[in-house]
Structure formats: C-alpha cells, structure tokens
C-alpha cells in the first residue's frame, strides 16, 4: 500500500469512527487527511470503493494488533492469554476508539450490503487462521467454535464499553469466565 493510500484510509477510519457512516465522504476524508480536494476520489473512485478500502485497512490494523498479542503469549498459559487479551480490548476503548467504532459502523452496513458481508467473512477467516491455533494451544476441545465465541464476546465488550463506558471496565473477568466454561479443568 502506498503511503498516500494509507494516509487516506487512516483519515477515513477517523472520519467513520468519530462522525459516522453518513459523514464518510471523499471531501471529508480529504479534509481529515489535510490533502487537496480530490485526493481521495483519485484513489477511490466510488463510495463503495472507499468503504471497501476502509474495511481492508481495518483488517490490517486489527490483524497487526492480534499479531502483537500472539507474540506476547507463552503457549498454553491461560492467565497470560486473559491478561494480554484484556489489554488488547482495553486500549481500543480509550485512545483507539475510532478504529473500533469504524469497524462497528461497517458491520452494521454489512447487514444491507452483501459484498461487504463477504469481506467481513474473509477478514474473520484471516483472523481465525492464527487465532484458532492460539485457542487450541489453551486446550480447547473445539478451537474454531471457541474462537468464534471469543470474538463475539470481544465485540460485545467493545460495544458496551464504547456505548456506555464504565469506570470499572474489566474485560479480563469476562474473558476468564468464558474460558473457564470452554476449557477443560
């Protein structure tokens, strides 16, 4: 990806995550990126192309975060997994909230746009390629299903904390409870 394209997509994520889907326009992205008018439309001819580009960039950003997570984990250590994953969830609900809000806006958009739904499915499969082995390493009897449950929990934790922030937000407790129910004792 070129530096300019990445700059535009990161600006589009900020627009989407701070102002919502209706405000995601070529002109708004140009302004957010501090680039001349027309810069975004030169890279993304249609709004659909821009939305697809944003989703692709979100997958890159989130995959990089998950890769960092995987690099911090000693194999099979449930407590370390809970601690690291809790930190991964806590960060986007504070300084990284625009990324999570942008992702959620696109998930809602996917409900009425099948092409975006397919891209989301492909992104989840990409995450599963390395996430399922992590869950398997914790002793899961059904790593693919348990990884999907873990992703659902994470999405719910994000949604709740972003919509109604709690001072005592404790994602680690929820993750540990889910894993206690899924993993052998």
């Amino acid at each position: 990806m070129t530096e300019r394209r990445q700059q535009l997509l990161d600006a589009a994520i900020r627009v989407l995550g701070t102002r919502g889907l209706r405000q995601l326009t070529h002109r708004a992205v140009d302004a957010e990126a501090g680039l001349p008018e027309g810069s975004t439309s030169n890279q993304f001819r249609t709004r659909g192309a821009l939305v697809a580009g944003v989703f692709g960039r979100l997958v890159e950003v989130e995959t990089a975060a998950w890769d960092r997570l995987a690099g911090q984990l000693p194999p099979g250590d449930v407590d370390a997994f809970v601690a690291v994953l809790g930190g991964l969830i806590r960060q986007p609900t504070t300084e990284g909230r625009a990324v999570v809000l942008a992702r959620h806006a696109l998930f809602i958009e996917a409900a009425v746009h099948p092409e975006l739904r397919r891209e989301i499915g492909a992104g989840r499969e990409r995450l599963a390629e390395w996430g399922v082995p992590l869950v398997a390493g914790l002793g899961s009897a059904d790593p693919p299903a348990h990884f999907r449950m873990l992703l659902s929990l994470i999405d719910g934790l994000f949604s709740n904390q972003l919509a109604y922030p709690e001072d005592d937000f404790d994602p680690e407790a929820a993750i540990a409870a889910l894993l206690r129910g899924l993993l052998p004792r």
Side-chain angles (χ1 to χ4, degrees):
M1 177 180 307
T2 67
E3 186 177 322
R4 170 69 55 103
R5 187 174 179 88
Q6 183 175 329
Q7 180 183 7
L8 289 167
L9 291 173
D10 289 344
I13 289 169
R14 288 190 303 275
V15 169
L16 183 57
T18 58
R19 299 184 228 164
L21 192 59
R22 288 184 180 184
Q23 300 301 312
L24 182 64
T25 64
H26 290 84
R27 188 171 289 171
V29 174
D30 290 340
E32 180 68 29
L35 294 172
E37 201 170 296
S39 298
T40 302
S41 63
N42 284 336
Q43 291 283 326
F44 306 95
R45 294 283 181 209
T46 65
R47 188 166 191 280
L50 178 59
V51 169
V54 167
F55 181 74
R57 179 68 179 142
L58 284 170
V59 169
E60 287 177 14
V61 168
E62 291 188 335
T63 300
W66 282 91
D67 284 343
R68 285 189 302 277
L69 165 75
Q72 297 174 20
L73 292 174
D77 186 335
V78 175
D79 292 334
F81 183 83
V82 168
V84 172
L85 188 55
L88 184 71
I89 293 168
R90 196 178 306 281
Q91 187 274 336
T93 60
T94 55
E95 67 265 14
R97 68 186 276 123
V99 171
V100 178
L101 289 169
R103 181 168 58 86
H104 280 279
L106 291 180
F107 274 35
I108 291 167
E109 185 75 1
V112 295
H113 289 95
E115 66 281 356
L116 188 54
R117 196 173 317 134
R118 284 189 292 277
E119 290 182 45
I120 288 172
R124 287 179 84 87
E125 289 303 315
R126 197 165 139 199
L127 278 178
E129 287 175 8
W130 64 263
V132 168
L134 282 177
V135 173
L138 297 175
S140 168
D142 189 353
H146 292 166
F147 182 69
R148 284 190 305 273
M149 288 179 204
L150 188 59
L151 288 180
S152 294
L153 173 65
I154 292 167
D155 283 339
L157 289 169
F158 279 148
S159 293
N160 289 330
Q161 184 62 13
L162 291 170
Y164 187 76
E166 296 177 356
D167 292 335
D168 60 347
F169 181 53
D170 187 9
E172 293 86 355
I175 297 163
L178 176 67
L179 292 177
R180 274 195 306 274
L182 298 178
L183 301 176
R185 296 171 201 248

